[in-house]
Amino acid sequence: MLRALKAVFDDRSDNIRGKIVASYAFLIALNICAWAGALLVFRHNTVLLGFSALAYAFGLRHAVDADHIAAIDSVTRKLMQEKQRPAMVGFFFSMGHSMVLVIATAAIALTAMTIDPCLSG
């Protein structure tokens, strides 16, 4: 399994179709897990579930902002000039961008719990 994962993220690999299928499979699985978690946590609070859907929709809209498309396009063109296969550029851009948002959200939640001990349960 580790060898297959390495092949997916190897720029020298010629298996572009495998890289794309693996990235789509990972993203679909990640979305299913996120929605399963949201349904589990917010099953008794439909308002928060609605806010989750709204945040998801805004995230999808944000994903096609012109600056994001330009950044991915620039890196893709640069890698193609260097005779590399940039099949995973968008995947890594989105994962990095999402990680920044997850870290910022966690920092805000921890700060809120520190300021108001009633929030920590």
Side-chain angles (χ1 to χ4, degrees):
M1 180 168 154
L2 187 59
R3 199 167 100 186
L5 191 61
K6 184 180 176 187
V8 168
F9 295 112
D10 185 13
D11 280 340
R12 294 167 289 168
S13 174
D14 291 329
N15 187 10
I16 299 298
R17 182 171 297 207
K19 287 182 181 185
I20 293 170
V21 168
S23 65
Y24 273 102
F26 177 74
L27 292 173
I28 289 168
L30 196 63
N31 275 281
I32 289 171
C33 289
W35 279 109
L39 288 170
L40 181 67
V41 172
F42 301 138
R43 67 182 176 272
H44 299 299
N45 194 338
T46 55
V47 172
L48 289 178
L49 194 57
F51 279 132
S52 297
L54 184 64
Y56 185 80
F58 281 147
L60 290 176
R61 189 184 78 179
H62 178 72
V64 293
D65 282 349
D67 60 331
H68 295 180
I69 303 300
I72 294 168
D73 182 61
S74 295
V75 172
T76 300
R77 289 173 188 267
K78 176 69 173 160
L79 290 174
M80 289 183 76
Q81 286 176 353
E82 295 174 356
K83 305 293 186 227
Q84 294 182 14
R85 303 276 187 160
M88 302 295 286
V89 170
F91 175 80
F92 284 118
F93 180 86
S94 66
M95 288 293 107
H97 195 62
S98 297
M99 192 54 59
V100 170
L101 297 175
V102 167
I103 291 169
T105 302
I108 291 169
L110 289 172
T111 303
M113 287 190 299
T114 303
I115 293 172
D116 189 1
C118 295
L119 293 176
S120 60

